[in-house]
Amino acid sequence: MDLSVTGDPVLAQDETEVHAGIYLQKGTLTLTRKGKDFVAYHALVMFASANATPWAAQRVKFTATGPDSKAVEVTVDLLNDSWDGPRAGIAEAIWKVVALAATAAGDIGITYAPPGRT
């Protein structure tokens, strides 16, 4: 490989949005939509923080295998329509995925607790 690199990378602490991806052990999380089961194997959680406010999880994009064995993407919006709190009816297992992603992204200063556990 012909590559030259200079500099010393530093994580930016003033980011307002962070995406944290995690791989899930296949078979540990099944999403059901319109009566069809999708086995999730990857989750990409989008966190945001504006004006030094605490980090909030905005959405999760799951990559899953559908009943036809093809990969699909299932997105779950986590914030309510006014963007001031969690959306009602989000399954506990999804909040666990968010907490796992926050832990994985902890090196950049994300601290996170699922709604009702602060």
Side-chain angles (χ1 to χ4, degrees):
M1 172 189 282
D2 184 19
L3 177 68
S4 176
V5 179
T6 60
D8 188 16
V10 176
L11 290 173
Q13 296 297 320
D14 56 353
E15 288 293 320
T16 58
E17 187 173 88
V18 171
H19 296 185
I22 57 172
Y23 286 94
L24 304 170
Q25 186 171 344
K26 204 164 188 174
T28 60
L29 185 68
T30 301
L31 310 165
T32 303
R33 181 174 62 185
K34 296 180 182 176
K36 295 182 180 180
D37 289 340
F38 300 90
V39 179
Y41 58 88
H42 186 265
L44 181 66
V45 182
M46 279 119 311
F47 295 94
S49 175
N51 303 323
T53 59
W55 289 93
Q58 295 178 298
R59 73 181 46 88
V60 182
K61 287 186 180 181
F62 290 100
T63 306
T65 304
D68 57 2
S69 299
K70 292 184 180 177
V72 297
E73 189 175 271
V74 178
T75 301
V76 178
D77 289 319
L78 300 173
L79 294 176
N80 61 26
D81 292 337
S82 59
W83 288 70
D84 62 358
R87 184 175 296 279
I90 301 293
E92 181 71 23
I94 292 178
W95 291 118
K96 288 180 181 179
V97 167
V98 172
L100 287 170
T103 301
D107 287 342
I108 56 172
I110 289 179
T111 55
Y112 178 81
R117 291 187 181 75
T118 55

